[in-house]
Amino acid sequence: MKQVKILDLKFDIHISAGYVYGQAQTPDEVYEMIREADRMLYQSKDNARNQISGGPSRYN
């Protein structure tokens, strides 16, 4: 968690992210990689947030 001050207000910043990497060959594979990255995002959120989850796509 990072705290940011804007004017006289303080905000807590929380970041969760998901990623995959690989080489898609077709548009359908690109969309599947996006869905995989989305699943990784929700894995980060399910694991207490403030995390980055990911790894190789099945199209690696």
mmCIF file of all heavy atoms in Angstrom, residues 9-56:
data_model
loop_
_atom_site.group_PDB
_atom_site.id
_atom_site.type_symbol
_atom_site.label_atom_id
_atom_site.label_comp_id
_atom_site.label_asym_id
_atom_site.label_seq_id
_atom_site.Cartn_x
_atom_site.Cartn_y
_atom_site.Cartn_z
ATOM 1 N N LEU A 9 -5.455 16.215 1.362
ATOM 2 C CA LEU A 9 -6.116 14.922 1.497
ATOM 3 C C LEU A 9 -5.104 13.803 1.312
ATOM 4 O O LEU A 9 -4.195 13.899 0.494
ATOM 5 C CB LEU A 9 -7.234 14.785 0.451
ATOM 6 C CG LEU A 9 -8.293 15.883 0.463
ATOM 7 C CD1 LEU A 9 -9.202 15.729 -0.734
ATOM 8 C CD2 LEU A 9 -9.092 15.836 1.753
ATOM 9 N N LYS A 10 -5.266 12.732 2.068
ATOM 10 C CA LYS A 10 -4.396 11.569 1.929
ATOM 11 C C LYS A 10 -5.220 10.401 1.406
ATOM 12 O O LYS A 10 -6.328 10.160 1.869
ATOM 13 C CB LYS A 10 -3.756 11.197 3.255
ATOM 14 C CG LYS A 10 -2.760 12.221 3.738
ATOM 15 C CD LYS A 10 -2.125 11.788 5.033
ATOM 16 C CE LYS A 10 -1.149 12.847 5.520
ATOM 17 N NZ LYS A 10 -0.560 12.475 6.801
ATOM 18 N N PHE A 11 -4.674 9.681 0.443
ATOM 19 C CA PHE A 11 -5.339 8.539 -0.153
ATOM 20 C C PHE A 11 -4.442 7.316 -0.047
ATOM 21 O O PHE A 11 -3.235 7.414 -0.257
ATOM 22 C CB PHE A 11 -5.629 8.784 -1.649
ATOM 23 C CG PHE A 11 -6.551 9.934 -1.906
ATOM 24 C CD1 PHE A 11 -6.058 11.212 -2.108
ATOM 25 C CD2 PHE A 11 -7.918 9.732 -1.941
ATOM 26 C CE1 PHE A 11 -6.907 12.263 -2.350
ATOM 27 C CE2 PHE A 11 -8.779 10.786 -2.192
ATOM 28 C CZ PHE A 11 -8.268 12.060 -2.389
ATOM 29 N N ASP A 12 -5.035 6.185 0.264
ATOM 30 C CA ASP A 12 -4.303 4.926 0.227
ATOM 31 C C ASP A 12 -4.459 4.345 -1.167
ATOM 32 O O ASP A 12 -5.570 4.234 -1.687
ATOM 33 C CB ASP A 12 -4.854 3.932 1.254
ATOM 34 C CG ASP A 12 -4.600 4.383 2.685
ATOM 35 O OD1 ASP A 12 -3.620 5.114 2.905
ATOM 36 O OD2 ASP A 12 -5.376 3.999 3.563
ATOM 37 N N ILE A 13 -3.351 3.988 -1.771
ATOM 38 C CA ILE A 13 -3.351 3.420 -3.114
ATOM 39 C C ILE A 13 -3.120 1.918 -3.000
ATOM 40 O O ILE A 13 -2.156 1.476 -2.372
ATOM 41 C CB ILE A 13 -2.247 4.046 -3.993
ATOM 42 C CG1 ILE A 13 -2.391 5.566 -4.046
ATOM 43 C CG2 ILE A 13 -2.254 3.434 -5.376
ATOM 44 C CD1 ILE A 13 -3.643 6.052 -4.702
ATOM 45 N N HIS A 14 -3.999 1.127 -3.600
ATOM 46 C CA HIS A 14 -3.879 -0.326 -3.634
ATOM 47 C C HIS A 14 -3.844 -0.755 -5.102
ATOM 48 O O HIS A 14 -4.665 -0.308 -5.897
ATOM 49 C CB HIS A 14 -5.073 -1.005 -2.953
ATOM 50 C CG HIS A 14 -5.264 -0.591 -1.532
ATOM 51 N ND1 HIS A 14 -4.694 -1.267 -0.501
ATOM 52 C CD2 HIS A 14 -5.942 0.427 -0.981
ATOM 53 C CE1 HIS A 14 -5.021 -0.679 0.640
ATOM 54 N NE2 HIS A 14 -5.781 0.358 0.363
ATOM 55 N N ILE A 15 -2.911 -1.608 -5.450
ATOM 56 C CA ILE A 15 -2.798 -2.058 -6.835
ATOM 57 C C ILE A 15 -2.756 -3.576 -6.878
ATOM 58 O O ILE A 15 -1.960 -4.209 -6.183
ATOM 59 C CB ILE A 15 -1.535 -1.484 -7.500
ATOM 60 C CG1 ILE A 15 -1.636 0.039 -7.563
ATOM 61 C CG2 ILE A 15 -1.348 -2.073 -8.890
ATOM 62 C CD1 ILE A 15 -0.408 0.710 -8.095
ATOM 63 N N SER A 16 -3.614 -4.131 -7.695
ATOM 64 C CA SER A 16 -3.600 -5.562 -7.999
ATOM 65 C C SER A 16 -3.519 -5.673 -9.516
ATOM 66 O O SER A 16 -4.157 -4.900 -10.229
ATOM 67 C CB SER A 16 -4.864 -6.251 -7.498
ATOM 68 O OG SER A 16 -4.946 -6.167 -6.101
ATOM 69 N N ALA A 17 -2.745 -6.628 -10.000
ATOM 70 C CA ALA A 17 -2.591 -6.775 -11.449
ATOM 71 C C ALA A 17 -2.444 -8.243 -11.811
ATOM 72 O O ALA A 17 -2.056 -9.066 -10.989
ATOM 73 C CB ALA A 17 -1.371 -5.998 -11.941
ATOM 74 N N GLY A 18 -2.751 -8.527 -13.052
ATOM 75 C CA GLY A 18 -2.560 -9.862 -13.593
ATOM 76 C C GLY A 18 -1.960 -9.754 -14.985
ATOM 77 O O GLY A 18 -2.264 -8.817 -15.716
ATOM 78 N N TYR A 19 -1.094 -10.685 -15.310
ATOM 79 C CA TYR A 19 -0.476 -10.664 -16.631
ATOM 80 C C TYR A 19 -0.194 -12.081 -17.103
ATOM 81 O O TYR A 19 -0.114 -13.003 -16.308
ATOM 82 C CB TYR A 19 0.833 -9.861 -16.630
ATOM 83 C CG TYR A 19 1.966 -10.581 -15.924
ATOM 84 C CD1 TYR A 19 2.844 -11.394 -16.639
ATOM 85 C CD2 TYR A 19 2.128 -10.478 -14.551
ATOM 86 C CE1 TYR A 19 3.864 -12.072 -15.991
ATOM 87 C CE2 TYR A 19 3.146 -11.147 -13.903
ATOM 88 C CZ TYR A 19 4.011 -11.948 -14.630
ATOM 89 O OH TYR A 19 5.010 -12.623 -13.995
ATOM 90 N N VAL A 20 -0.054 -12.232 -18.392
ATOM 91 C CA VAL A 20 0.465 -13.451 -19.011
ATOM 92 C C VAL A 20 1.339 -13.016 -20.176
ATOM 93 O O VAL A 20 1.218 -11.899 -20.679
ATOM 94 C CB VAL A 20 -0.645 -14.402 -19.525
ATOM 95 C CG1 VAL A 20 -1.478 -14.931 -18.386
ATOM 96 C CG2 VAL A 20 -1.508 -13.759 -20.573
ATOM 97 N N TYR A 21 2.238 -13.895 -20.576
ATOM 98 C CA TYR A 21 3.054 -13.593 -21.753
ATOM 99 C C TYR A 21 3.137 -14.829 -22.628
ATOM 100 O O TYR A 21 3.009 -15.951 -22.152
ATOM 101 C CB TYR A 21 4.442 -13.089 -21.376
ATOM 102 C CG TYR A 21 5.259 -14.060 -20.545
ATOM 103 C CD1 TYR A 21 6.065 -15.013 -21.148
ATOM 104 C CD2 TYR A 21 5.215 -14.008 -19.158
ATOM 105 C CE1 TYR A 21 6.810 -15.903 -20.391
ATOM 106 C CE2 TYR A 21 5.962 -14.889 -18.392
ATOM 107 C CZ TYR A 21 6.758 -15.826 -19.017
ATOM 108 O OH TYR A 21 7.489 -16.705 -18.262
ATOM 109 N N GLY A 22 3.308 -14.580 -23.893
ATOM 110 C CA GLY A 22 3.380 -15.667 -24.856
ATOM 111 C C GLY A 22 3.264 -15.112 -26.263
ATOM 112 O O GLY A 22 3.348 -13.903 -26.468
ATOM 113 N N GLN A 23 3.054 -15.991 -27.228
ATOM 114 C CA GLN A 23 2.952 -15.587 -28.625
ATOM 115 C C GLN A 23 1.672 -16.153 -29.218
ATOM 116 O O GLN A 23 1.642 -17.305 -29.657
ATOM 117 C CB GLN A 23 4.159 -16.057 -29.419
ATOM 118 C CG GLN A 23 5.436 -15.386 -28.991
ATOM 119 C CD GLN A 23 6.613 -15.806 -29.854
ATOM 120 O OE1 GLN A 23 6.634 -16.887 -30.405
ATOM 121 N NE2 GLN A 23 7.573 -14.916 -29.955
ATOM 122 N N ALA A 24 0.653 -15.333 -29.229
ATOM 123 C CA ALA A 24 -0.615 -15.743 -29.824
ATOM 124 C C ALA A 24 -0.461 -15.727 -31.348
ATOM 125 O O ALA A 24 0.189 -14.859 -31.912
ATOM 126 C CB ALA A 24 -1.719 -14.799 -29.387
ATOM 127 N N GLN A 25 -1.076 -16.692 -31.986
ATOM 128 C CA GLN A 25 -0.994 -16.798 -33.443
ATOM 129 C C GLN A 25 -2.290 -16.381 -34.139
ATOM 130 O O GLN A 25 -2.284 -16.123 -35.340
ATOM 131 C CB GLN A 25 -0.655 -18.237 -33.839
ATOM 132 C CG GLN A 25 0.641 -18.746 -33.252
ATOM 133 C CD GLN A 25 1.843 -17.963 -33.752
ATOM 134 O OE1 GLN A 25 1.959 -17.684 -34.937
ATOM 135 N NE2 GLN A 25 2.721 -17.594 -32.840
ATOM 136 N N THR A 26 -3.387 -16.346 -33.405
ATOM 137 C CA THR A 26 -4.678 -16.022 -34.001
ATOM 138 C C THR A 26 -5.405 -15.024 -33.097
ATOM 139 O O THR A 26 -5.073 -14.895 -31.910
ATOM 140 C CB THR A 26 -5.563 -17.282 -34.138
ATOM 141 O OG1 THR A 26 -5.909 -17.739 -32.820
ATOM 142 C CG2 THR A 26 -4.862 -18.391 -34.918
ATOM 143 N N PRO A 27 -6.399 -14.339 -33.640
ATOM 144 C CA PRO A 27 -7.184 -13.440 -32.788
ATOM 145 C C PRO A 27 -7.821 -14.171 -31.605
ATOM 146 O O PRO A 27 -7.873 -13.623 -30.497
ATOM 147 C CB PRO A 27 -8.248 -12.879 -33.739
ATOM 148 C CG PRO A 27 -7.595 -12.933 -35.083
ATOM 149 C CD PRO A 27 -6.770 -14.198 -35.062
ATOM 150 N N ASP A 28 -8.288 -15.390 -31.816
ATOM 151 C CA ASP A 28 -8.878 -16.147 -30.708
ATOM 152 C C ASP A 28 -7.865 -16.389 -29.599
ATOM 153 O O ASP A 28 -8.209 -16.337 -28.409
ATOM 154 C CB ASP A 28 -9.435 -17.486 -31.194
ATOM 155 C CG ASP A 28 -10.729 -17.328 -31.983
ATOM 156 O OD1 ASP A 28 -11.384 -16.270 -31.864
ATOM 157 O OD2 ASP A 28 -11.073 -18.266 -32.722
ATOM 158 N N GLU A 29 -6.625 -16.652 -29.955
ATOM 159 C CA GLU A 29 -5.586 -16.860 -28.946
ATOM 160 C C GLU A 29 -5.287 -15.561 -28.201
ATOM 161 O O GLU A 29 -5.028 -15.579 -26.994
ATOM 162 C CB GLU A 29 -4.323 -17.427 -29.591
ATOM 163 C CG GLU A 29 -4.502 -18.861 -30.061
ATOM 164 C CD GLU A 29 -3.285 -19.409 -30.785
ATOM 165 O OE1 GLU A 29 -2.293 -18.673 -30.981
ATOM 166 O OE2 GLU A 29 -3.329 -20.595 -31.159
ATOM 167 N N VAL A 30 -5.339 -14.434 -28.893
ATOM 168 C CA VAL A 30 -5.150 -13.134 -28.228
ATOM 169 C C VAL A 30 -6.241 -12.940 -27.177
ATOM 170 O O VAL A 30 -5.962 -12.585 -26.034
ATOM 171 C CB VAL A 30 -5.168 -11.973 -29.246
ATOM 172 C CG1 VAL A 30 -5.188 -10.621 -28.520
ATOM 173 C CG2 VAL A 30 -3.979 -12.062 -30.186
ATOM 174 N N TYR A 31 -7.492 -13.188 -27.566
ATOM 175 C CA TYR A 31 -8.593 -13.032 -26.620
ATOM 176 C C TYR A 31 -8.452 -14.004 -25.449
ATOM 177 O O TYR A 31 -8.755 -13.651 -24.305
ATOM 178 C CB TYR A 31 -9.942 -13.222 -27.315
ATOM 179 C CG TYR A 31 -10.259 -12.097 -28.273
ATOM 180 C CD1 TYR A 31 -10.512 -12.353 -29.611
ATOM 181 C CD2 TYR A 31 -10.294 -10.773 -27.840
ATOM 182 C CE1 TYR A 31 -10.795 -11.322 -30.504
ATOM 183 C CE2 TYR A 31 -10.567 -9.738 -28.717
ATOM 184 C CZ TYR A 31 -10.822 -10.014 -30.044
ATOM 185 O OH TYR A 31 -11.088 -8.989 -30.909
ATOM 186 N N GLU A 32 -7.989 -15.209 -25.704
ATOM 187 C CA GLU A 32 -7.792 -16.176 -24.618
ATOM 188 C C GLU A 32 -6.690 -15.703 -23.675
ATOM 189 O O GLU A 32 -6.810 -15.846 -22.453
ATOM 190 C CB GLU A 32 -7.468 -17.561 -25.162
ATOM 191 C CG GLU A 32 -7.261 -18.612 -24.084
ATOM 192 C CD GLU A 32 -8.425 -18.762 -23.104
ATOM 193 O OE1 GLU A 32 -9.590 -18.567 -23.501
ATOM 194 O OE2 GLU A 32 -8.159 -19.055 -21.918
ATOM 195 N N MET A 33 -5.647 -15.099 -24.203
ATOM 196 C CA MET A 33 -4.589 -14.563 -23.344
ATOM 197 C C MET A 33 -5.131 -13.433 -22.470
ATOM 198 O O MET A 33 -4.759 -13.316 -21.297
ATOM 199 C CB MET A 33 -3.399 -14.098 -24.181
ATOM 200 C CG MET A 33 -2.605 -15.256 -24.764
ATOM 201 S SD MET A 33 -1.212 -14.719 -25.772
ATOM 202 C CE MET A 33 -0.108 -14.108 -24.502
ATOM 203 N N ILE A 34 -6.000 -12.616 -23.029
ATOM 204 C CA ILE A 34 -6.615 -11.550 -22.236
ATOM 205 C C ILE A 34 -7.453 -12.149 -21.113
ATOM 206 O O ILE A 34 -7.405 -11.688 -19.966
ATOM 207 C CB ILE A 34 -7.456 -10.622 -23.131
ATOM 208 C CG1 ILE A 34 -6.530 -9.843 -24.069
ATOM 209 C CG2 ILE A 34 -8.322 -9.682 -22.297
ATOM 210 C CD1 ILE A 34 -7.241 -9.112 -25.194
ATOM 211 N N ARG A 35 -8.194 -13.205 -21.415
ATOM 212 C CA ARG A 35 -8.992 -13.874 -20.372
ATOM 213 C C ARG A 35 -8.080 -14.482 -19.306
ATOM 214 O O ARG A 35 -8.381 -14.427 -18.111
ATOM 215 C CB ARG A 35 -9.898 -14.934 -20.993
ATOM 216 C CG ARG A 35 -11.104 -14.341 -21.719
ATOM 217 C CD ARG A 35 -12.103 -15.403 -22.154
ATOM 218 N NE ARG A 35 -11.618 -16.216 -23.261
ATOM 219 C CZ ARG A 35 -11.758 -15.903 -24.550
ATOM 220 N NH1 ARG A 35 -12.364 -14.793 -24.899
ATOM 221 N NH2 ARG A 35 -11.288 -16.703 -25.480
ATOM 222 N N GLU A 36 -6.946 -15.060 -19.717
ATOM 223 C CA GLU A 36 -5.992 -15.618 -18.748
ATOM 224 C C GLU A 36 -5.460 -14.514 -17.835
ATOM 225 O O GLU A 36 -5.348 -14.706 -16.614
ATOM 226 C CB GLU A 36 -4.824 -16.291 -19.464
ATOM 227 C CG GLU A 36 -5.155 -17.586 -20.157
ATOM 228 C CD GLU A 36 -3.951 -18.167 -20.895
ATOM 229 O OE1 GLU A 36 -2.797 -17.872 -20.522
ATOM 230 O OE2 GLU A 36 -4.166 -18.913 -21.863
ATOM 231 N N ALA A 37 -5.112 -13.368 -18.411
ATOM 232 C CA ALA A 37 -4.609 -12.248 -17.608
ATOM 233 C C ALA A 37 -5.683 -11.756 -16.646
ATOM 234 O O ALA A 37 -5.387 -11.411 -15.497
ATOM 235 C CB ALA A 37 -4.141 -11.116 -18.519
ATOM 236 N N ASP A 38 -6.925 -11.742 -17.091
ATOM 237 C CA ASP A 38 -8.027 -11.350 -16.221
ATOM 238 C C ASP A 38 -8.165 -12.318 -15.047
ATOM 239 O O ASP A 38 -8.358 -11.903 -13.904
ATOM 240 C CB ASP A 38 -9.323 -11.285 -17.025
ATOM 241 C CG ASP A 38 -10.451 -10.639 -16.255
ATOM 242 O OD1 ASP A 38 -10.267 -9.513 -15.742
ATOM 243 O OD2 ASP A 38 -11.531 -11.260 -16.164
ATOM 244 N N ARG A 39 -8.009 -13.615 -15.303
ATOM 245 C CA ARG A 39 -8.054 -14.603 -14.218
ATOM 246 C C ARG A 39 -6.906 -14.363 -13.237
ATOM 247 O O ARG A 39 -7.078 -14.496 -12.020
ATOM 248 C CB ARG A 39 -8.006 -16.025 -14.777
ATOM 249 C CG ARG A 39 -9.330 -16.461 -15.390
ATOM 250 C CD ARG A 39 -9.373 -17.942 -15.703
ATOM 251 N NE ARG A 39 -8.484 -18.346 -16.783
ATOM 252 C CZ ARG A 39 -8.788 -18.322 -18.084
ATOM 253 N NH1 ARG A 39 -9.977 -17.903 -18.473
ATOM 254 N NH2 ARG A 39 -7.921 -18.709 -18.996
ATOM 255 N N MET A 40 -5.747 -13.986 -13.754
ATOM 256 C CA MET A 40 -4.608 -13.685 -12.877
ATOM 257 C C MET A 40 -4.897 -12.458 -12.011
ATOM 258 O O MET A 40 -4.528 -12.412 -10.838
ATOM 259 C CB MET A 40 -3.338 -13.454 -13.699
ATOM 260 C CG MET A 40 -2.808 -14.678 -14.407
ATOM 261 S SD MET A 40 -2.166 -15.904 -13.241
ATOM 262 C CE MET A 40 -3.454 -17.126 -13.320
ATOM 263 N N LEU A 41 -5.585 -11.464 -12.581
ATOM 264 C CA LEU A 41 -5.962 -10.284 -11.806
ATOM 265 C C LEU A 41 -6.843 -10.684 -10.627
ATOM 266 O O LEU A 41 -6.609 -10.271 -9.493
ATOM 267 C CB LEU A 41 -6.702 -9.276 -12.685
ATOM 268 C CG LEU A 41 -7.404 -8.132 -11.945
ATOM 269 C CD1 LEU A 41 -6.414 -7.291 -11.179
ATOM 270 C CD2 LEU A 41 -8.213 -7.300 -12.914
ATOM 271 N N TYR A 42 -7.855 -11.516 -10.888
ATOM 272 C CA TYR A 42 -8.743 -11.925 -9.805
ATOM 273 C C TYR A 42 -8.037 -12.831 -8.816
ATOM 274 O O TYR A 42 -8.358 -12.832 -7.626
ATOM 275 C CB TYR A 42 -10.029 -12.531 -10.359
ATOM 276 C CG TYR A 42 -10.918 -11.420 -10.856
ATOM 277 C CD1 TYR A 42 -10.926 -11.063 -12.193
ATOM 278 C CD2 TYR A 42 -11.675 -10.672 -9.959
ATOM 279 C CE1 TYR A 42 -11.696 -10.000 -12.642
ATOM 280 C CE2 TYR A 42 -12.441 -9.607 -10.391
ATOM 281 C CZ TYR A 42 -12.456 -9.278 -11.734
ATOM 282 O OH TYR A 42 -13.199 -8.220 -12.159
ATOM 283 N N GLN A 43 -7.025 -13.568 -9.253
ATOM 284 C CA GLN A 43 -6.216 -14.349 -8.311
ATOM 285 C C GLN A 43 -5.492 -13.403 -7.362
ATOM 286 O O GLN A 43 -5.429 -13.641 -6.160
ATOM 287 C CB GLN A 43 -5.218 -15.221 -9.073
ATOM 288 C CG GLN A 43 -4.322 -16.037 -8.164
ATOM 289 C CD GLN A 43 -3.370 -16.917 -8.962
ATOM 290 O OE1 GLN A 43 -3.766 -17.535 -9.941
ATOM 291 N NE2 GLN A 43 -2.129 -16.952 -8.549
ATOM 292 N N SER A 44 -4.946 -12.309 -7.896
ATOM 293 C CA SER A 44 -4.282 -11.317 -7.041
ATOM 294 C C SER A 44 -5.253 -10.732 -6.034
ATOM 295 O O SER A 44 -4.933 -10.577 -4.854
ATOM 296 C CB SER A 44 -3.697 -10.181 -7.893
ATOM 297 O OG SER A 44 -2.628 -10.632 -8.670
ATOM 298 N N LYS A 45 -6.442 -10.405 -6.489
ATOM 299 C CA LYS A 45 -7.440 -9.826 -5.585
ATOM 300 C C LYS A 45 -7.877 -10.832 -4.527
ATOM 301 O O LYS A 45 -8.096 -10.460 -3.374
ATOM 302 C CB LYS A 45 -8.648 -9.341 -6.378
ATOM 303 C CG LYS A 45 -8.352 -8.112 -7.206
ATOM 304 C CD LYS A 45 -9.597 -7.656 -7.937
ATOM 305 C CE LYS A 45 -9.358 -6.360 -8.657
ATOM 306 N NZ LYS A 45 -10.592 -5.822 -9.250
ATOM 307 N N ASP A 46 -8.004 -12.089 -4.898
ATOM 308 C CA ASP A 46 -8.409 -13.120 -3.938
ATOM 309 C C ASP A 46 -7.328 -13.395 -2.902
ATOM 310 O O ASP A 46 -7.620 -13.861 -1.803
ATOM 311 C CB ASP A 46 -8.754 -14.425 -4.651
ATOM 312 C CG ASP A 46 -10.046 -14.336 -5.440
ATOM 313 O OD1 ASP A 46 -10.848 -13.404 -5.184
ATOM 314 O OD2 ASP A 46 -10.251 -15.187 -6.323
ATOM 315 N N ASN A 47 -6.082 -13.106 -3.245
ATOM 316 C CA ASN A 47 -4.953 -13.354 -2.333
ATOM 317 C C ASN A 47 -4.577 -12.097 -1.560
ATOM 318 O O ASN A 47 -3.413 -11.785 -1.405
ATOM 319 C CB ASN A 47 -3.743 -13.863 -3.112
ATOM 320 C CG ASN A 47 -3.941 -15.247 -3.644
ATOM 321 O OD1 ASN A 47 -4.672 -16.037 -3.071
ATOM 322 N ND2 ASN A 47 -3.314 -15.553 -4.761
ATOM 323 N N ALA A 48 -5.571 -11.357 -1.105
ATOM 324 C CA ALA A 48 -5.374 -10.213 -0.210
ATOM 325 C C ALA A 48 -4.983 -8.924 -0.922
ATOM 326 O O ALA A 48 -4.571 -7.984 -0.282
ATOM 327 C CB ALA A 48 -4.352 -10.537 0.878
ATOM 328 N N ARG A 49 -5.080 -8.873 -2.212
ATOM 329 C CA ARG A 49 -4.833 -7.650 -2.985
ATOM 330 C C ARG A 49 -3.382 -7.188 -2.880
ATOM 331 O O ARG A 49 -2.557 -7.826 -2.278
ATOM 332 C CB ARG A 49 -5.797 -6.553 -2.582
ATOM 333 C CG ARG A 49 -7.247 -6.970 -2.799
ATOM 334 C CD ARG A 49 -8.191 -5.849 -2.451
ATOM 335 N NE ARG A 49 -9.558 -6.292 -2.581
ATOM 336 C CZ ARG A 49 -10.349 -5.995 -3.598
ATOM 337 N NH1 ARG A 49 -9.902 -5.265 -4.577
ATOM 338 N NH2 ARG A 49 -11.577 -6.435 -3.636
ATOM 339 N N ASN A 50 -3.103 -6.046 -3.513
ATOM 340 C CA ASN A 50 -1.746 -5.478 -3.541
ATOM 341 C C ASN A 50 -0.721 -6.494 -4.020
ATOM 342 O O ASN A 50 0.369 -6.611 -3.464
ATOM 343 C CB ASN A 50 -1.350 -4.931 -2.174
ATOM 344 C CG ASN A 50 -2.085 -3.659 -1.852
ATOM 345 O OD1 ASN A 50 -2.417 -2.877 -2.742
ATOM 346 N ND2 ASN A 50 -2.363 -3.445 -0.598
ATOM 347 N N GLN A 51 -1.085 -7.243 -5.043
ATOM 348 C CA GLN A 51 -0.184 -8.251 -5.600
ATOM 349 C C GLN A 51 -0.227 -8.201 -7.117
ATOM 350 O O GLN A 51 -1.171 -7.690 -7.699
ATOM 351 C CB GLN A 51 -0.611 -9.645 -5.175
ATOM 352 C CG GLN A 51 -0.510 -9.923 -3.712
ATOM 353 C CD GLN A 51 -0.888 -11.354 -3.406
ATOM 354 O OE1 GLN A 51 -1.023 -12.200 -4.295
ATOM 355 N NE2 GLN A 51 -1.060 -11.657 -2.137
ATOM 356 N N ILE A 52 0.783 -8.787 -7.716
ATOM 357 C CA ILE A 52 0.814 -8.998 -9.159
ATOM 358 C C ILE A 52 0.957 -10.504 -9.379
ATOM 359 O O ILE A 52 1.865 -11.118 -8.829
ATOM 360 C CB ILE A 52 1.977 -8.248 -9.825
ATOM 361 C CG1 ILE A 52 1.814 -6.740 -9.598
ATOM 362 C CG2 ILE A 52 2.035 -8.567 -11.309
ATOM 363 C CD1 ILE A 52 2.999 -5.935 -10.060
ATOM 364 N N SER A 53 0.035 -11.070 -10.141
ATOM 365 C CA SER A 53 0.060 -12.498 -10.428
ATOM 366 C C SER A 53 0.167 -12.705 -11.926
ATOM 367 O O SER A 53 -0.403 -11.935 -12.702
ATOM 368 C CB SER A 53 -1.232 -13.180 -9.933
ATOM 369 O OG SER A 53 -1.380 -13.029 -8.551
ATOM 370 N N GLY A 54 0.887 -13.725 -12.333
ATOM 371 C CA GLY A 54 0.953 -14.011 -13.754
ATOM 372 C C GLY A 54 2.033 -15.012 -14.078
ATOM 373 O O GLY A 54 2.644 -15.596 -13.199
ATOM 374 N N GLY A 55 2.244 -15.169 -15.364
ATOM 375 C CA GLY A 55 3.251 -16.098 -15.841
ATOM 376 C C GLY A 55 3.025 -16.391 -17.306
ATOM 377 O O GLY A 55 2.280 -15.686 -17.992
ATOM 378 N N PRO A 56 3.627 -17.458 -17.771
ATOM 379 C CA PRO A 56 3.499 -17.777 -19.186
ATOM 380 C C PRO A 56 2.081 -18.218 -19.554
ATOM 381 O O PRO A 56 1.413 -18.885 -18.773
ATOM 382 C CB PRO A 56 4.486 -18.915 -19.401
ATOM 383 C CG PRO A 56 4.693 -19.505 -18.059
ATOM 384 C CD PRO A 56 4.484 -18.396 -17.070
#
